[in-house]
Amino acid sequence: KGKLPLDVFASMGAFYYNNRGNKVREEWKNKGVFVNWWETEVFMIQIPWGIRDIWALRLLELVEAWAGVEVEQTVIYGLRQYETGARLLTHVDRQNTHAVSLIVNIAQGNLTEPWPVEVHDHAGRLHEVLMQPGDIVYYESAKCLHGRNRPMMGENAYYVNLFTHYRPRADADGWHSKPNPEGVPEPVLD
């Protein structure tokens, strides 16, 4: 977990504040069951290409420092706004494009209970990570199970995240078949 540089957070926060009324319902039918779209709506705020490119460059520096390898960005989504009742079922992401991922919390409000992101590490241990606006969670989303299985609680609650995904520049197609680095504990077995 880390923090956005203040200038990047200011840019993202100002963009959200000025565009929060431009949210559109994100279409999920036939796209999976990771988000409980059949119980509560999920919204997207699109980011203009010029702003997206500026943010992408700054985030790339952060993720390369965390990952310790050169990466290329494969996708940066708009701002996804979850609302009361939202859940994100446990899953892993696509191997060819989601080697390293970021969740950036932009805004949240009216929550009556924390809404942690749940990430299972390489040893199968569950980590419940609480986020505040400006926080970043780095994780290997194609290898590590992750989700938010508890429904978001609170009247008119909202939680706004930016998601962006990367893969190594070298070995972009085979990174996922490599064993975990030495020193990573074995998975916990019951």
Side-chain angles (χ1 to χ4, degrees):
K1 182 171 155 182
K3 286 292 230 184
L4 277 175
L6 291 178
D7 63 315
V8 178
F9 179 55
S11 175
M12 291 179 177
F15 177 82
Y16 169 71
Y17 180 81
N18 290 321
N19 292 280
R20 66 189 186 277
N22 297 327
K23 66 184 182 182
V24 296
R25 189 163 89 31
E26 188 173 8
E27 182 58 51
W28 280 93
K29 289 186 180 176
N30 302 320
K31 291 186 182 174
V33 295
F34 304 126
V35 175
N36 63 326
W37 53 264
W38 59 92
E39 295 175 329
T40 186
E41 293 187 315
V42 179
F43 296 93
M44 185 66 72
I45 301 169
Q46 296 300 326
I47 307 165
W49 287 107
I51 295 172
R52 184 182 303 226
D53 291 345
I54 293 167
W55 294 352
L57 284 173
R58 295 298 300 282
L59 293 172
L60 181 70
E61 297 167 1
L62 299 173
V63 79
E64 284 185 339
W66 180 79
V69 297
E70 286 188 4
V71 296
E72 62 183 356
Q73 184 181 61
T74 56
V75 68
I76 185 170
Y77 297 114
L79 304 181
R80 182 174 289 149
Q81 182 166 319
Y82 300 96
E83 297 189 350
T84 301
R87 290 180 296 127
L88 182 63
L89 304 179
T90 301
H91 66 285
V92 291
D93 293 334
R94 285 173 258 170
Q95 289 183 346
N96 59 337
T97 57
H98 292 49
V100 179
S101 299
L102 298 181
I103 303 170
V104 180
N105 184 237
I106 308 301
Q108 55 181 274
N110 303 326
L111 279 77
T112 56
E113 295 179 17
W115 200 48
V117 60
E118 302 158 359
V119 180
H120 294 260
D121 66 20
H122 292 286
R125 296 172 298 214
L126 174 64
H127 301 269
E128 293 186 337
V129 182
L130 297 176
M131 298 181 75
Q132 293 297 318
D135 284 351
I136 303 171
V137 172
Y138 302 89
Y139 63 113
E140 294 180 65
S141 67
K143 280 191 171 185
C144 297
L145 288 165
H146 58 281
R148 292 178 190 264
N149 288 291
R150 292 180 218 153
M152 185 191 311
M153 304 299 288
E155 187 174 337
N156 298 314
Y158 63 93
Y159 205 98
V160 182
N161 286 334
L162 173 75
F163 296 91
T164 182
H165 304 282
Y166 307 83
R167 66 181 178 191
R169 283 195 183 276
D171 198 22
D173 295 322
W175 68 268
H176 51 83
S177 61
K178 293 187 170 144
N180 290 330
E182 193 168 320
V184 172
E186 289 299 315
V188 178
L189 301 175
D190 291 334

